[in-house]
């Protein structure tokens, strides 16, 4: 079954172990993968609130999608300077969408 990933912005360098061959188009863009991290949807659904910084999450939650995987990108404004979603409202909306995509 295809895995689902969502993108989280991250300014730390992140290198892919799969940047060639038959894979998802994003896997062929190493310059993109240096600026974003792709978290597995199942992992995102299990995150506790408030959401931790991506650099504080274990590396095994991230990966590079394969050719049959679906990539969902999320971009939103920060209404609070200290945290992008202190109340968890955006997290819940994203989780609802992911559940509908996974189902």
């Amino acid at each position: 079954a295809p895995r689902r990933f969502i993108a989280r912005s991250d300014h730390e360098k992140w290198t892919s172990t799969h940047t060639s061959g038959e894979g998802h188009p994003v896997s062929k863009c190493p310059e993109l993968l240096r600026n974003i991290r792709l978290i597995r949807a199942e992992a995102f659904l299990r995150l506790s609130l408030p959401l931790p910084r991506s650099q504080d999450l274990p590396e095994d939650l991230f990966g590079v999608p394969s050719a049959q995987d679906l990539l969902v990108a999320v971009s939103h404004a920060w209404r609070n300077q200290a945290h992008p979603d202190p109340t968890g409202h955006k997290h819940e909306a994203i989780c609802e969408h992911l559940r509908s995509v996974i189902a």
Side-chain angles (χ1 to χ4, degrees):
R3 296 172 297 169
R4 274 58 174 202
F5 291 83
I6 64 170
R8 288 191 68 169
S9 178
D10 188 8
H11 296 292
E12 291 181 1
K13 184 176 180 185
W14 184 67
T15 57
S16 169
T17 58
H18 179 73
T19 57
S20 62
E22 296 299 319
H24 195 280
V26 75
S27 70
K28 297 176 179 135
C29 302
E31 45 300 324
L32 175 68
L33 293 174
R34 281 191 290 273
N35 295 302
I36 64 169
R37 301 179 79 186
L38 303 175
I39 186 170
R40 291 179 178 86
E42 307 82 46
F44 185 83
L45 291 168
R46 292 191 312 264
L47 292 178
S48 61
L49 295 176
L51 290 174
R53 301 177 319 155
S54 61
Q55 59 264 43
D56 294 336
L57 294 172
E59 286 299 316
D60 63 340
L61 300 186
F62 300 95
V64 176
S66 64
Q68 70 274 15
D69 291 336
L70 174 67
L71 178 68
V72 177
V74 176
S75 177
H76 62 85
W78 284 40
R79 296 188 143 234
N80 181 313
Q81 187 176 7
H83 194 277
D85 188 25
T87 61
H89 293 320
K90 290 180 183 180
H91 177 260
E92 186 52 40
I94 294 167
C95 287
E96 284 181 35
H97 178 70
L98 287 174
R99 287 184 198 105
S100 72
V101 170
I102 292 173

